[in-house]
Amino acid sequence: MAVHPHPALRTALSAALVIPLVFSAAACGGSSNASGSSSDSSSSGSGSSWISTVDWSAHPATDTDLSLYGAVNAPIAISDLLAHTSSVNIATDGDTITDPSQLTTSDAQLSSNTTYDTMTFDSTLGSLSMTVGFSFYQGETSTVANAFNDGWWKISLDSTSSSTIDSLINVEPTTEDEAGVRDEGSVRLNAIIRQYGAPSCIWYFDSQFDPAKASEGGAYDLVWERDGYAFDVVVQDIVSDGSTVADAAGFGYYPANAWGREKEQLQSGLTDSQGGNLVFKDFQDVASQL
């Protein structure tokens, strides 16, 4: 595969789109449809963001593997997902693939245009419909089978709520997670870090989050890197009129090959529509400032 300096990926980083849309809709009155949750995010009145109230020393990084609904355990091969897939919609340069069994056998070329491909799962995985992307550079081509068999795919669930995310990643909040917070979204975020530990990395646009002013909240993406894969949770962490509204508003899963490309892109100097620069850091470097 030809690799050029910092080229754009074939499909846009899903979370890179989610963060500004979720944040602007929640905090700036934006017109985007990408809103966060509703009842999950009742006000806590704490006046400080969720990320700044966590005692991160009590949540060290772990190697706990991701589990989707307790039924599919990471690292996840495409065959693991196909066992629970009811339908797909994958664009090629010819026809659109709708038969899940063709994902690992088709020699059709993936569409060279940015598409909104989807996989819809059965009730074992919550009957969710998730966006499918591919970590290929513009100008690269791939067959459908190569993309899925060799781990260049990624799945994401965008513009959702904490209750959906914690069910998806097999997290169940307890009374322990209520300590220090009063809004439901923060409780659910506490449950995520209790189960999976501190994230490995964090990325954000500096127009939307500043670790030096973390108590004021913002929008950011938390990434857990594991052996052979990574997963992330998009967080909208809003403080307004002395109240806190925090929520897990998006999720993504990346096999190792796809994550390697995504990480390279995140470190390459992207900007958002507000002129903000994308910052990608080890989480511990940011946690020390909180």
Side-chain angles (χ1 to χ4, degrees):
M1 296 180 180
V3 178
H4 307 287
H6 307 315
L9 291 174
R10 175 184 170 277
T11 53
L13 293 160
S14 59
L17 298 177
V18 172
I19 284 185
L21 292 175
V22 169
F23 184 66
S24 61
C28 306
S31 59
S32 165
N33 290 327
S35 59
S37 73
S38 51
S39 59
D40 286 341
S41 298
S42 57
S43 170
S44 71
S46 65
S48 294
S49 67
W50 168 76
I51 196 171
S52 67
T53 60
V54 174
D55 178 6
W56 289 105
S57 65
H59 297 280
T62 72
D63 58 0
T64 302
D65 277 323
L66 174 69
S67 178
L68 302 183
Y69 282 97
V72 177
N73 299 320
I76 299 170
I78 190 60
S79 58
D80 299 326
L81 293 181
L82 290 180
H84 302 286
T85 300
S86 57
S87 65
V88 299
N89 192 299
I90 305 295
T92 72
D93 284 341
D95 295 330
T96 297
I97 291 179
T98 57
D99 179 356
S101 69
Q102 293 184 27
L103 298 189
T104 56
T105 61
S106 174
D107 60 2
Q109 294 288 314
L110 288 168
S111 173
S112 58
N113 297 316
T114 298
T115 59
Y116 295 94
D117 301 323
T118 59
M119 296 182 72
T120 300
F121 301 107
D122 62 21
S123 58
T124 304
L125 295 182
S127 301
L128 294 174
S129 182
M130 298 183 72
T131 301
V132 180
F134 303 95
S135 295
F136 292 117
Y137 294 137
Q138 296 289 353
E140 285 186 311
T141 59
S142 172
T143 66
V144 172
N146 176 69
F148 283 101
N149 290 329
D150 294 345
W152 297 106
W153 54 273
K154 51 189 176 179
I155 54 173
S156 62
L157 185 66
D158 305 331
S159 309
T160 185
S161 67
S162 290
S163 59
T164 301
I165 298 295
D166 63 19
S167 295
L168 172 61
I169 62 177
N170 201 38
V171 169
E172 183 174 352
T174 68
T175 55
E176 176 185 352
D177 304 312
E178 299 174 3
V181 297
R182 282 179 283 174
D183 65 298
E184 185 66 19
S186 292
V187 172
R188 295 180 183 279
L189 287 166
N190 281 346
I192 292 172
I193 62 171
R194 172 177 52 78
Q195 178 150 325
Y196 291 109
S200 311
C201 315
I202 181 172
W203 69 266
Y204 51 88
F205 289 102
D206 60 13
S207 59
Q208 300 188 41
F209 180 68
D210 180 355
K213 301 177 181 178
S215 63
E216 298 176 9
Y220 47 86
D221 193 306
L222 303 177
V223 183
W224 286 260
E225 293 182 311
R226 297 291 191 257
D227 185 15
Y229 68 97
F231 67 97
D232 66 345
V233 171
V234 180
V235 178
Q236 58 174 2
D237 194 356
I238 310 305
V239 179
S240 178
D241 297 327
S243 298
T244 302
V245 179
D247 209 10
F251 164 82
Y253 177 86
Y254 312 82
N257 282 343
W259 174 242
R261 286 284 181 85
E262 297 286 315
K263 187 173 183 178
E264 178 180 289
Q265 188 76 353
L266 289 167
Q267 294 172 322
S268 70
L270 299 174
T271 58
D272 67 5
S273 60
Q274 302 173 52
N277 298 308
L278 192 153
V279 179
F280 182 94
K281 290 187 173 183
D282 288 342
F283 184 77
Q284 288 305 314
D285 292 341
V286 173
S288 64
Q289 303 177 53
L290 302 176

